[in-house]
Amino acid sequence: MPPLLPAFSLIACLPVLVLLLRAQAGAFLPLEMSRDAGPSTARSLNGSVPLDVNSYPVAPPDLELEQVHVYIRHGERTPVGVRMADPPASIPKHWMFCHTARNFRAAVSSATPSIPGVRGPVGGGEAQQQESLRTVRVVERPDGTAAPGECLLGELTDIGRQTTYDYGRGLRQLYIDKLGFLPDVASSHDDVYLRSTNVPRTIESLQQIAHGLYPDSKSTSDFIPQLRIRNGKDENLFGNTLACKRLEILQVGFAKAAASEWNDTLAPLDKKLSKYIGGNPVRLDGKPRASGILDTVRAANAHGIAVPPELKDPAVVDLIEKAVVHEWFAGYQTEEVRRLGMGPLLSDLSRKMQAKAMNASGDSLKILIHSTHDTCLAALCSTLDVFDNRWPAFSSAVTFELFRRRTQPEKQQQSIWQSVLAPFRQHTDASTEHYVRMRYQNRNLPLPVCAEDGKHLPGSPEFCTLAAFQERIRELTPVDWDAECAPAGLHGKHGGR
């Protein structure tokens, strides 16, 4: 087996190789790219999707916001591989957009001589104390030179830091200044949940978001944001092929099928683009891969780097995007890939919403922010049948908002009895009084599964009943994870009986 590649140097290559590569702890890292927006998506010039606070649609007055789940793609980054660096494309090999976070301070242990009469470390020897170590990080090139501000492959850039910080400020403007939903000053981790995949660009994006939401001036002196990260085998913020061999096999199969289906369609682009990729054809499984071409172009556009004129042609870029989207997400049109890829994440989401719905007064958790990847957003939308078949942009986000129907005045007298009987209620009691709204890139997404009467708020199809939402998630949640993730899946297991 080849050595594991660090998360920040992952190269997007053959789907088979991409699916087999592991991040530090062994998790599959998704390819990522931004995209040109459709007409309904507000975007800044650098390609990100800012949170549009002014156009946020406030819920009907009889609904009260109780909890918000945010899944956000990290900010702008460099390409994950070097492509089209040679003339005539001449896209830079070295990206000089990483000046902001090159100075570090880290807590380190140092040894000091033991003091007579003072108890030292267990086992004797020297005492330990904490010191602050200051370092400056630089990227070294093969010839040994290092230039200040150069980025690693796939690294969050200064622009990406700014857009994710701005997103955090947008969350503050929306959920604190406009809605009064979150506390103005952060003092407890009970209110805010912060989690990232174990990748530097997502971790750093989450740090920026947290600082925008709660800057130092709006945090108590003893409040330090707690960033949660899971081990690779436990990760569910994208389809985890490390933990599920069956999912890996399915993803590889769909990628191969997409190449067979789309390569002939891409062939007419050879006359326009082959000169920029070493004379090679444009193919999903080519060299570079079509996804790699798109990755470099999107990153370049986001940072104002010139690309060949043919790669500015919407007809050319849209065709490549359609093929790449099919390659990566066609599998999510099947129930099995949905269950194995997004089932664990949606199950987590449903469980936390249920806990809030059943015990709002005892559960103070209000906002959960997950810093993740484009493949998570696209997979979520596809799994819930609301995917627009466009690659998610930098800092775009999917949010799920949980609302509770406000208590009517005539029912207030029953509130004491409702509190007493709450632990004995059936599961659906709380669900029928709660609604879930899904939003993506500043748009409401009415869920098809909630389209029937009785499964959404009358007159407002974007507000799905929690009961209907959870019913669908139960269908998507693997019951026997180990069995379904076996190489042959449940079919193979049952067939052997």
Side-chain angles (χ1 to χ4, degrees), residues 347-418:
S347 179
D348 250 6
L349 167 70
S350 177
R351 176 177 53 82
K352 290 170 182 174
M353 283 189 170
Q354 180 65 19
K356 185 69 171 181
M358 294 298 294
N359 186 23
S361 60
D363 185 347
S364 60
L365 185 56
K366 288 181 173 289
I367 188 167
L368 302 91
I369 303 173
H370 309 79
S371 183
T372 181
H373 307 267
D374 41 18
T375 48
C376 172
L377 273 57
L380 272 175
C381 290
S382 185
T383 296
L384 296 173
D385 294 310
V386 289
F387 187 36
D388 61 3
N389 292 309
R390 303 299 300 270
W391 204 279
F394 292 116
S395 76
S396 54
V398 168
T399 62
F400 296 91
E401 298 173 313
L402 177 67
F403 294 87
R404 176 181 61 85
R405 187 186 291 274
R406 297 181 188 273
T407 304
Q408 298 298 322
E410 61 271 18
K411 294 183 179 180
Q412 289 180 354
Q413 192 172 5
Q414 303 174 11
S415 60
I416 296 178
W417 289 106
Q418 290 172 347

Side-chain angles (χ1 to χ4, degrees), residues 72-126:
I72 181 171
R73 186 193 178 191
H74 58 76
E76 287 85 341
R77 56 151 176 79
T78 58
V80 296
V82 177
R83 313 178 190 94
M84 298 182 286
D86 297 328
S90 301
I91 295 176
K93 181 179 181 181
H94 306 289
W95 291 53
M96 313 303 293
F97 295 95
C98 296
H99 298 272
T100 302
R102 283 300 188 243
N103 294 312
F104 292 86
R105 287 188 181 273
V108 295
S109 296
S110 65
T112 58
S114 299
I115 302 174
V118 177
R119 182 178 180 181
V122 176
E126 298 179 323

Side-chain angles (χ1 to χ4, degrees), residues 51 70-75 156 160-172 192-196 201-215 225 227 367-372 395-397:
L51 180 60
V70 179
Y71 300 87
I72 181 171
R73 186 193 178 191
H74 58 76
L156 187 73
R161 292 178 185 279
Q162 184 64 50
T163 55
T164 46
Y165 172 75
D166 290 343
Y167 191 89
R169 288 183 61 195
L171 289 176
R172 180 172 186 85
V192 182
Y193 173 102
L194 304 170
R195 183 178 152 207
S196 171
R201 58 180 172 265
T202 55
I203 296 171
E204 293 166 3
S205 292
L206 185 58
Q207 291 171 335
Q208 296 293 123
I209 294 168
H211 188 58
L213 176 60
Y214 282 114
L227 309 186
I367 188 167
L368 302 91
I369 303 173
H370 309 79
S371 183
T372 181
S395 76
S396 54

Side-chain angles (χ1 to χ4, degrees), residues 482-493:
D482 291 335
E484 292 192 40
C485 284
L490 281 177
H491 177 74
K493 179 179 178 180

